[in-house]
């Protein structure tokens, strides 16, 4: 079973507020349905454009198999930053899962698909 870290946000996601508790419930459900070993989520600060907690998860990639975001709209708004993060995860042979949209980034093609969405 793949060990994954959850990633939730205490601020706005795509101009909407979703309580952290509901984000975690969606992630837990997604992990259960997809046979993923859910580890406690990191909560991103509600500071505009903050990715401090996300960078913390990136530092522990050697200990996990991927990151489960509540939504793909938690990725940074700046394209270069999104791509940098995704490439780091892909090059580590890890995956990014998006519970709400049921999408996965695992290679260049899947990254392109998410960027188009």
């Amino acid at each position: 079973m793949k060990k994954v870290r959850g990633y939730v946000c205490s601020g706005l996601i795509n101009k909407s507020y979703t309580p952290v508790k509901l984000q975690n419930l969606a992630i837990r459900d997604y992990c259960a349905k997809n046979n993923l070993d859910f580890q406690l989520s990191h909560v991103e600060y509600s500071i505009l454009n903050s990715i401090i907690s996300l960078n913390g998860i990136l530092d522990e990639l050697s200990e996990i198999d991927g990151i489960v975001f509540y939504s793909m709209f938690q990725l940074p708004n700046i394209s270069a930053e999104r791509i940098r993060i995704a490439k780091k995860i892909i090059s580590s042979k890890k995956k990014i899962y998006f519970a709400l949209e049921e999408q996965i980034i695992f290679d260049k093609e899947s990254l392109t698909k998410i960027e188009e969405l």
Side-chain angles (χ1 to χ4, degrees), residues 17 41 76 83:
Y17 176 76
S41 294
I83 292 169

Side-chain angles (χ1 to χ4, degrees), residues 17-76:
Y17 176 76
T18 304
V20 168
K21 183 176 181 177
L22 292 179
Q23 293 176 53
N24 271 314
L25 285 172
I27 290 172
R28 285 175 201 235
D29 183 58
Y30 178 85
C31 289
K33 288 179 182 175
N34 291 282
N35 200 31
L36 299 170
D37 181 18
F38 173 67
Q39 304 297 302
L40 291 177
S41 294
H42 279 231
V43 180
E44 192 57 74
Y45 298 96
S46 60
I47 302 166
L48 186 63
N49 299 321
S50 175
I51 57 168
I52 295 168
S53 291
L54 180 55
N55 284 325
I57 299 173
L58 295 177
D59 289 341
E60 67 180 59
L61 281 177
S62 62
E63 302 166 25
I64 58 175
D65 297 300
I67 304 170
V68 183
F69 285 63
Y70 166 68
S71 172
M72 65 185 187
F73 292 103
Q74 288 175 269
L75 288 167

Side-chain angles (χ1 to χ4, degrees), residues 4-5 7 30 36 54 57-58 61 65-72 74-76 81-91 93-99 101-107 110-111 114:
V4 295
R5 174 74 63 200
Y7 178 65
Y30 178 85
L36 299 170
L54 180 55
I57 299 173
L58 295 177
L61 281 177
D65 297 300
I67 304 170
V68 183
F69 285 63
Y70 166 68
S71 172
M72 65 185 187
Q74 288 175 269
L75 288 167
E81 192 68 16
R82 279 194 309 274
I83 292 169
R84 178 193 68 81
I85 290 166
K87 284 185 175 180
K88 181 170 184 169
I89 294 168
I90 293 167
S91 69
K93 299 188 181 345
K94 311 297 178 168
K95 295 180 181 178
I96 306 172
Y97 304 87
F98 302 104
E101 296 86 8
E102 297 186 352
Q103 298 290 319
I104 304 172
I105 294 177
F106 56 92
D107 62 11
S110 58
L111 172 57
I114 295 298

